[in-house]
């Protein structure tokens, strides 16, 4: 016997579909991390946080270390005022991390002592420490942690750096130092393999750009990382504009269908890492507030 649907049944079905659609749209792509400090035309750190688009901002880069010299390179941004902006971002619930390394060649850790010295410098200059004679570029503002963006130089002693930094957590009553890593997409990344092997890196931002082979197999490359580090939250790292990498750039629709619809099903999927704030600003990739578009493609 066939049952006929009355108007109430149709209305109920429509309401359930509406709720499902709204839930998917609200879910979005997860946490959104963005690199800031790579172009003076990207606007201030405060402006980036005020978009409401990002849950983490990675301030880039501490570009020289390991040989007794430390250099903070923010691509022409005045350092004065960044500390107040960090506090403003944190008041809005946005994590602010300092990224070390970058594409320059002025850094490496030639010894265990160099790793210890760098950890001590980061603690006193950017984290919760403070020692006479150590300048604090951001004043009394404290970043929430450190991102390892190790793209050049030797591979040794970054595991020790992770351990030295993690040891400072004993001075925190709550929270602590967030450690993240941003490797190249080809697995494994030998420069970060040691640090990741410590198990102390809570988040991994996999760069699905800058490598043509990975561009052709973005999903497979990312899934290798997710499988290798089930205890870390693994992010999908993308460029926000074709100006950054025309071969690797994916529209939001392509990103969803090529990568996210599969990545979001894995338990350690963390969200998106956006390179970078400047490209996002000129292309309105995420900062337009249309992250819900990534969810609606599944409907």
């Amino acid at each position: 016997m066939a049952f006929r649907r009355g108007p109430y049944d149709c209305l109920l079905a429509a309401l359930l579909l509406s709720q499902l659609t709204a839930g998917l749209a609200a879910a979005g792509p997860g946490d959104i991390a963005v690199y800031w400090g790579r172009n003076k035309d990207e606007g201030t750190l405060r402006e980036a946080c005020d978009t409401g688009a990002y849950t983490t901002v990675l301030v880039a880069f501490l570009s020289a270390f390991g040989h007794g010299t430390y250099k903070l390179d923010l691509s022409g941004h005045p350092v004065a005022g960044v500390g107040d902006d960090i506090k403003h971002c944190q008041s809005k619930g946005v994590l602010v991390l300092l990224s070390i390394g970058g594409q320059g060649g002025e850094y490496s850790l030639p010894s265990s002592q160099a790793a210890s010295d760098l950890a001590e410098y980061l603690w006193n200059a950017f984290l919760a420490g403070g020692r006479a004679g150590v300048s604090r570029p951001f004043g009394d503002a404290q970043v929430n942690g450190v991102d390892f963006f190790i793209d050049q130089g030797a591979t040794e002693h970054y595991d020790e750096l992770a351990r030295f930094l993690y040891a400072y957590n004993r001075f925190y009553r709550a929270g602590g130092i967030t450690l993240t890593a941003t490797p190249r997409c080809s697995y494994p990344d030998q420069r970060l393999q040691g640090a990741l092997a410590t198990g102390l890196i809570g988040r991994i931002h996999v760069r699905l750009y800058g490598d043509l082979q990975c561009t052709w197999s973005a999903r497979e490359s990312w899934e290798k990382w997710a499988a290798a580090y089930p205890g870390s939250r693994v992010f999908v790292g993308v460029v926000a504009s074709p100006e950054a990498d025309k071969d690797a750039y994916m529209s939001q629709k392509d990103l969803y269908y090529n990568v996210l619809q599969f990545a979001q099903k894995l338990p350690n999927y963390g969200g998106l890492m956006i390179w970078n704030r400047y490209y996002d600003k000129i292309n309105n990739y995420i900062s337009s507030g249309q992250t819900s578009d990534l969810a609606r493609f599944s409907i």
Side-chain angles (χ1 to χ4, degrees), residues 2-47:
F3 291 92
R4 296 180 62 186
R5 291 185 177 181
Y8 175 80
D9 299 303
C10 294
L11 177 60
L12 179 60
L15 286 171
L16 290 173
L17 179 59
S18 175
Q19 291 172 356
L20 175 61
T21 300
L24 286 168
D31 283 332
I32 307 291
V34 67
Y35 276 87
W36 177 90
R38 294 295 79 217
N39 191 303
K40 65 180 181 179
D41 293 327
E42 67 195 331
T44 66
L45 178 60
R46 178 183 294 256
E47 289 168 348

Side-chain angles (χ1 to χ4, degrees), residues 6-286:
Y8 175 80
D9 299 303
C10 294
L11 177 60
L12 179 60
L15 286 171
L16 290 173
L17 179 59
S18 175
Q19 291 172 356
L20 175 61
T21 300
L24 286 168
D31 283 332
I32 307 291
V34 67
Y35 276 87
W36 177 90
R38 294 295 79 217
N39 191 303
K40 65 180 181 179
D41 293 327
E42 67 195 331
T44 66
L45 178 60
R46 178 183 294 256
E47 289 168 348
C49 293
D50 282 345
T51 64
Y54 315 117
T55 57
T56 301
V57 178
L58 302 127
V59 176
F61 290 108
L62 183 73
S63 62
F65 56 79
H67 301 275
T69 300
Y70 302 100
K71 183 172 76 175
L72 182 66
D73 177 10
L74 300 183
S75 302
H77 285 285
V79 176
V82 173
D84 287 340
D85 286 0
I86 289 173
K87 294 178 184 179
H88 175 76
C89 293
Q90 292 167 336
S91 74
K92 298 173 74 71
V94 178
L95 290 178
V96 181
L97 308 182
L98 176 68
S99 188
I100 65 171
Q103 286 95 1
E106 299 181 77
Y107 61 88
S108 67
L109 293 178
S111 65
S112 297
Q113 186 60 52
S116 177
D117 290 346
L118 176 56
E120 184 178 359
Y121 172 74
L122 291 169
W123 171 251
N124 287 304
F126 297 100
L127 292 161
R131 192 182 69 190
V134 179
S135 173
R136 291 188 64 90
F138 304 144
D140 62 353
Q142 302 174 19
V143 297
N144 297 101
V146 178
D147 171 60
F148 290 43
F149 193 117
I150 309 305
D151 210 43
Q152 306 290 332
T155 64
E156 293 86 358
H157 306 296
Y158 288 102
D159 57 336
E160 294 170 274
L161 175 62
R163 292 189 182 96
F164 286 133
L165 285 170
Y166 189 81
Y168 282 110
N169 280 317
R170 68 187 184 275
F171 296 112
Y172 287 87
R173 292 183 178 179
I177 300 171
T178 298
L179 298 180
T180 69
T182 304
R184 298 183 182 190
C185 69
S186 292
Y187 177 83
D189 184 332
Q190 293 187 351
R191 289 187 174 85
L192 287 169
Q193 196 169 10
L196 290 168
T198 66
L200 303 177
I201 306 294
R203 290 171 34 167
I204 303 171
H205 313 121
V206 181
R207 286 182 275 162
L208 300 182
Y209 55 87
D211 183 331
L212 195 57
Q213 182 177 352
C214 288
T215 299
W216 294 334
S217 58
R219 171 192 168 189
E220 292 82 358
S221 298
W222 185 88
E223 287 177 342
K224 287 181 181 178
W225 284 98
Y229 298 100
S232 298
R233 298 178 65 216
V234 184
F235 284 59
V236 175
V238 295
V239 293
S241 168
E243 288 189 29
D245 186 334
K246 63 181 178 61
D247 294 315
Y249 176 74
M250 290 180 277
S251 67
Q252 285 198 4
K253 182 177 181 179
D254 289 339
L255 174 60
Y256 178 80
Y257 283 117
N258 293 343
V259 181
L260 286 189
Q261 67 168 323
F262 308 103
Q264 288 175 323
K265 296 175 182 178
L266 299 182
N268 60 332
Y269 168 77
L272 295 179
M273 181 276 281
I274 305 299
W275 182 267
N276 53 40
R277 167 61 183 156
Y278 171 71
Y279 293 120
D280 192 18
K281 182 178 180 180
I282 64 173
N283 195 39
N284 290 321
Y285 191 73
I286 293 294

